[in-house]
Amino acid sequence: MKYIKAFISAVVIGVAGMTTLSAQNALRTGYFLEGYTYRHMINPAFAPERSYVAFPGLGNLNVTVNSNVGLSTFLYPTKNGELTTFMSPDVKSGKFLGKLKGMNHINENLDLMILSFGFRGMGGYNTFTLSSRQSMSLSLPKDLFTFMKLGQTKEDTHYNFKNLGIEASEIVEMGFGHSRQIDEKLRAGAKLKVLLGVGNVNARISNMDVTLSNEIWEVKADGELNIAAGSGLKVPTKGESGKADNPSEATLIDWDNVDYDKFGLSGFGMGLDLGATYQLLPDLELSAAVTDLAFMSWSNNHHAKTSKASWTFEGFHDVALDKDDPDYEDKKLNQQLDDLGDQFEESVEFHREGKVGSRVSGIGATITLGGMYTIPYARMVKGGLLFTQRINGHYSWTEARLSANVTPVGWFDASVNYALSSFGSSFGWILNFHPKGVNLFLGSDFQIFKVTPQFVPVGNLNASVNFGLNITFGSKAKKKA
């Protein structure tokens, strides 16, 4: 079991410590700022105030990470000022486990905008974007960490893990958007997306039972794996690579020999964004959008499942203590411990089923609802309430963001806001400069205020920095035109 624990510890800490480069996701903090160029990425009904072309590589650059647990949950300072993991005996189990949620999530995105531009015409406003979208979501049940930290605590100890999983994908997206004024109060927009799949991994242990007692250890796992990355991806079994020690291992995926020798697309899909704004009262505007209503058809997909048989260990037998014993190398305690670890790993490893095939999946949709109120006696100030719901199965999340937005002059606006979400609370801000000829913005949806002396953030790991530089041209559109 030490191998499984070490592996999971490395994955959790490695993923929790990652940041995300994002150049497509718009800053939700800027949702209510009319001078912010990329509002149309959250709601396709919004139109930038001028025509624009993104500056290559710098149009909308974002670094972000979200989690409902913190990096300080998994890393702890030692007496000499260094850091150790939660598995250290010096870290009290109550202190570590008390920081965990029932289900712990880490979500990251890497979206690289290749090209983006927008212009007025055809009775409204038109946008085009070309980008590479990468995403990763990880779900980790608390019982998993309890098992790792405590192990067997009494004569008969039982653990159950549900929905332990990871999902990651890379998609090239081309988006064609159009919005227009329907009447004096209503504006609507839509964006059609063409999706080209580069790769996808979806691994999930839907249910895993572990029983530890003085007489027997038993493990039963029910999981599924799908992985696709074009014809260049090779996922051999141990039988195919000649590493199977017995017939039961023949279909096990041989991770040591997984290879990717050439780039190739592995999927195709279509998507749609829809949005609208409505001027309910002279000073109150309502808005709504749903984005990423999409499907992906993945080809060259490798499908695997865990073994349906449970793994049982009833203790060590015939341990060889004398080096002169003819079976000493096979029966010595160290060898039996190694064999035990291998057998346990096999009980939760994946057996490939059949040849490569195809499957269809979604990419996760997002619902956005907004309300903006202009202060009648101070029209440069606007209050905003934004609700966001990400719908992506076990990796879904919810956020509500209350903001104060100010436009002191025609070429500058700013916003500050406070949010409550599935990842905890956060503070956001943006400074947006948009004189004729340029749009320059700097902001954050998630701000870190406190770190330990080792520079480990305190609290949930939510942080982002967003920067953008765009060339604008043409005159401003007339209000509601």
Side-chain angles (χ1 to χ4, degrees):
M1 285 183 288
K2 64 181 180 180
Y3 305 108
I4 298 295
K5 293 181 179 182
F7 172 75
I8 296 176
S9 300
V11 169
V12 170
I13 294 170
V15 172
M18 291 170 60
T19 56
T20 298
L21 292 177
S22 172
Q24 190 207 18
N25 288 341
L27 196 65
R28 293 192 293 278
T29 293
Y31 184 85
F32 298 107
L33 300 185
E34 294 184 3
Y36 176 51
T37 297
Y38 289 100
R39 295 200 303 162
H40 67 84
M41 298 181 66
I42 310 175
N43 186 332
F46 287 136
E49 62 180 9
R50 303 178 191 270
S51 300
Y52 79 94
V53 175
F55 196 87
L58 297 176
N60 186 28
L61 186 63
N62 188 326
V63 181
T64 183
V65 62
N66 289 124
S67 177
N68 65 346
V69 290
L71 193 57
S72 58
T73 304
F74 305 103
L75 296 177
Y76 294 83
T78 62
K79 293 181 180 180
N80 59 9
E82 297 180 351
L83 292 173
T84 188
T85 74
F86 64 93
M87 291 299 294
S88 170
D90 295 330
V91 178
K92 302 297 183 182
S93 59
K95 180 180 181 180
F96 165 59
L97 296 174
K99 295 181 179 181
L100 297 173
K101 308 295 190 297
M103 183 63 71
N104 304 276
H105 296 281
I106 301 172
N107 292 343
E108 298 181 318
N109 298 284
L110 170 54
D111 297 349
L112 176 63
M113 181 182 295
I114 302 168
L115 175 65
S116 179
F117 60 83
F119 61 94
R120 287 200 296 271
M122 295 181 286
Y125 196 95
N126 310 281
T127 59
F128 173 80
T129 57
L130 176 63
S131 59
S132 172
R133 300 177 48 172
Q134 299 178 32
S135 63
M136 189 284 299
S137 298
L138 186 66
S139 63
L140 302 163
K142 181 177 180 178
D143 218 16
L144 166 69
F145 295 102
T146 306
F147 161 65
M148 293 171 63
K149 183 66 176 176
L150 299 181
Q152 184 176 349
T153 58
K154 52 187 178 180
E155 184 175 341
D156 190 0
T157 305
H158 179 73
Y159 296 99
N160 178 254
F161 320 145
K162 292 182 181 295
N163 299 322
L164 165 65
I166 183 170
E167 182 180 46
S169 64
E170 180 174 358
I171 298 171
V172 175
E173 175 187 294
M174 291 183 290
F176 307 87
H178 178 80
S179 67
R180 63 170 60 205
Q181 200 71 32
I182 306 302
D183 56 33
E184 291 185 355
K185 293 185 176 183
L186 177 65
R187 186 179 184 92
K191 182 178 292 186
L192 178 66
K193 298 178 176 180
V194 178
L195 309 174
L196 302 176
V198 177
N200 173 262
V201 176
N202 190 324
R204 179 184 170 207
I205 301 294
S206 56
N207 190 65
M208 182 172 177
D209 281 300
V210 179
T211 299
L212 305 175
S213 69
N214 294 336
E215 290 78 26
I216 189 172
W217 291 356
E218 186 175 27
V219 178
K220 187 174 183 179
D222 183 11
E224 188 173 9
L225 168 70
N226 286 285
I227 178 171
S231 59
L233 177 66
K234 304 297 188 296
V235 185
T237 63
K238 288 189 175 182
E240 292 170 341
S241 58
K243 295 175 62 176
D245 294 328
N246 55 69
S248 66
E249 294 183 352
T251 56
L252 278 176
I253 292 178
D254 181 10
W255 294 106
D256 292 335
N257 285 299
V258 171
D259 187 31
Y260 186 70
D261 57 14
K262 65 178 179 179
F263 175 82
L265 295 178
S266 184
F268 175 82
M270 299 290 292
L272 185 66
D273 296 350
L274 299 171
T277 67
Y278 187 77
Q279 197 71 38
L280 182 64
L281 299 172
D283 296 321
L284 178 61
E285 181 185 81
L286 303 180
S287 60
V290 56
T291 58
D292 287 336
L293 287 170
F295 76 93
M296 282 296 306
S297 177
W298 298 100
S299 58
N300 297 300
N301 181 71
H302 300 264
H303 178 66
K305 287 187 175 182
T306 55
S307 173
K308 295 182 180 179
S310 61
W311 171 81
T312 302
F313 173 67
E314 298 179 344
F316 299 111
H317 300 284
D318 301 323
V319 177
L321 301 177
D322 190 346
K323 291 184 178 181
D324 295 330
D325 190 314
D327 297 323
Y328 176 76
E329 289 301 323
D330 294 329
K331 293 184 177 181
K332 65 181 180 180
L333 182 59
N334 286 346
Q335 183 60 49
Q336 292 200 39
L337 285 171
D338 288 340
D339 292 342
L340 173 65
D342 293 340
Q343 294 168 18
F344 183 86
E345 288 180 355
E346 183 180 336
S347 71
V348 294
E349 281 194 325
F350 293 98
H351 295 256
R352 201 187 71 195
E353 295 193 337
K355 301 295 183 180
V356 295
S358 63
R359 71 184 183 93
V360 177
S361 70
I363 64 173
T366 302
I367 297 173
T368 303
L369 302 174
M372 182 178 68
Y373 181 72
T374 302
I375 307 299
Y377 52 85
R379 305 198 67 81
M380 60 181 286
V381 181
K382 300 177 181 180
L385 178 61
L386 185 66
F387 173 83
T388 305
Q389 175 67 62
R390 178 68 171 172
I391 303 173
N392 192 24
H394 301 289
Y395 309 109
S396 300
W397 54 265
T398 305
E399 179 187 83
R401 191 174 291 268
L402 182 65
S403 66
N405 313 277
V406 59
T407 307
V409 293
W411 53 268
F412 172 75
D413 43 24
S415 177
V416 293
N417 58 74
Y418 179 77
L420 290 174
S421 74
S422 304
F423 306 113
S425 60
S426 60
F427 173 79
W429 59 274
I430 183 175
L431 302 175
N432 184 55
F433 301 87
H434 50 105
K436 186 175 182 179
V438 67
N439 174 219
L440 174 66
F441 57 86
L442 177 67
S444 171
D445 279 335
F446 309 97
Q447 189 70 49
I448 292 178
F449 289 101
K450 186 177 181 181
V451 298
T452 69
Q454 295 80 19
F455 297 100
V456 176
V458 176
N460 293 356
L461 187 58
N462 293 310
S464 72
V465 177
N466 189 288
F467 169 81
L469 177 62
N470 297 270
I471 307 302
T472 62
F473 54 93
S475 59
K476 288 186 179 182
K478 294 181 180 179
K479 189 68 173 179
K480 298 302 178 185

